[in-house]
Amino acid sequence: MGLLVRFVLLFSLLIIRMSALNVFPEKFVVGEKNHTITLDCKTNKKSVTWKLQDTDGSLEELDSEYEKPNGTKLIVYNLQVDQVGNYTCWSDEGVEDYTYLLLDMSKEPAGLNINCTAETFSCANNLKCSWGASDYTAFRLRNMRDGGSWVSQSVDGVFYVPHSTNSFSEESERLLITGEAVSSCCYKKTENSFFLRDIVKPAGPNISRCIQRKKNETIEVEVKPPSTWPQPHSFFPLTHQIEYEMRDNGEVRTHQWEGPTVKVQGVVTKLRARCRDPLVLSQWSEWTPWKNVSSRRKGKHTKTKNRKNNREKQQRKNNKEKNNREKTQKQRNHLTWTGF
């Protein structure tokens, strides 16, 4: 084996030991408790020496009734927790290969549930999934239906899982999200299957207009779909709901409608909005932040100022027309005086 390959192997071993499996090992095998597991050393040597890396980083050579070498293989009998860890195989030239052995806990009951939501039916936006438990240190998810790659957690702790669902056609096959988790001793695998329509949760809508009409004490509200919602909006409608606070007594009320605009009776101090898909009865979006509503009416001074501005505007228009008439009259007088 080349020196470069040996260096990469040694570096990988060091990373695994230092990180305490904060990442998935490149090569690992899982086995159930009390079962027999066979490890294979990838090498061109006919025989190797197997060693197990202890928690302190030291290497223990293996050859007992519970770990029996056989050429380039190692047979681990009656697998127990104290037998899991990083197994390395060595020749007289150095390390040849490694395999991390983990105890498979997938059949054990545990509260490891994959929860996913989608802001839209479009495949342009990834699924947002959450999954984790304090007993494990590294997690990853994969969309098995679409043959996706493994996805790790982002810095905000969310798994952004891609999919290829067509928003304009009926789903015929459920999404299948597979999750894997590892710790220094154990491995856990779980799955969750669902249709995209069952997990849709739109992003928060946009309150584009909010006007308080004092004359008839109504408020006019216009709510637009979130930017991630598919178009045309006539084909992908949304139900909107606002929650608003009455100015006179602080009572909080709600109103629900379909379409962009609505008029609500009453004088309102603030409001917020959310939306959902009415066709599949999706989850409600998160509420938007509270938006203050101005309750000031135009006073006498404002109306007087507006009338003054209108008069000045009309006066400028009249002066311009007068100047044009005088200019035209001068041109006619000039033509008459020259004899034309």
Side-chain angles (χ1 to χ4, degrees), residues 116-121 128 196-206 223-226 228-229 237-243 253-259 272-288:
C116 298
T117 59
E119 291 186 354
T120 175
F121 295 97
K128 293 183 178 180
L196 182 67
R197 60 178 178 267
D198 296 332
I199 63 166
V200 168
K201 181 180 180 180
N206 302 306
V223 179
K224 293 184 177 181
T228 55
W229 194 246
L238 282 174
T239 295
H240 296 106
Q241 187 181 71
I242 57 171
E243 188 174 67
R253 301 178 182 178
T254 60
H255 184 80
Q256 184 173 309
W257 80 101
E258 292 186 19
R272 59 181 182 174
R274 63 179 182 174
C275 60
R276 70 182 298 184
D277 187 317
L279 303 181
V280 300
L281 295 180
S282 72
Q283 302 177 58
W284 284 104
S285 71
E286 298 295 331
W287 287 105
T288 63

Side-chain angles (χ1 to χ4, degrees), residues 261-275:
T261 60
V262 68
K263 291 183 179 180
V264 178
Q265 191 70 30
V267 181
V268 176
T269 56
K270 62 180 181 179
L271 61 82
R272 59 181 182 174
R274 63 179 182 174
C275 60

Side-chain angles (χ1 to χ4, degrees), residues 30 34 56 58 62 64 82 93 97 103 132 147 161 164 170 181 185 189 192 223 260 271 340:
V30 298
N34 300 323
D56 60 359
S58 61
L62 303 172
S64 69
D82 60 355
E93 297 178 2
D97 195 12
L103 194 62
V161 182
S164 59
E170 186 70 19
C185 71
K189 181 179 180 180
N192 193 4
V223 179
L271 61 82
F340 289 95

Side-chain angles (χ1 to χ4, degrees), residues 105-112 188:
M105 306 296 290
S106 300
K107 294 183 180 180
E108 297 292 328
L112 281 173
K188 182 78 174 180

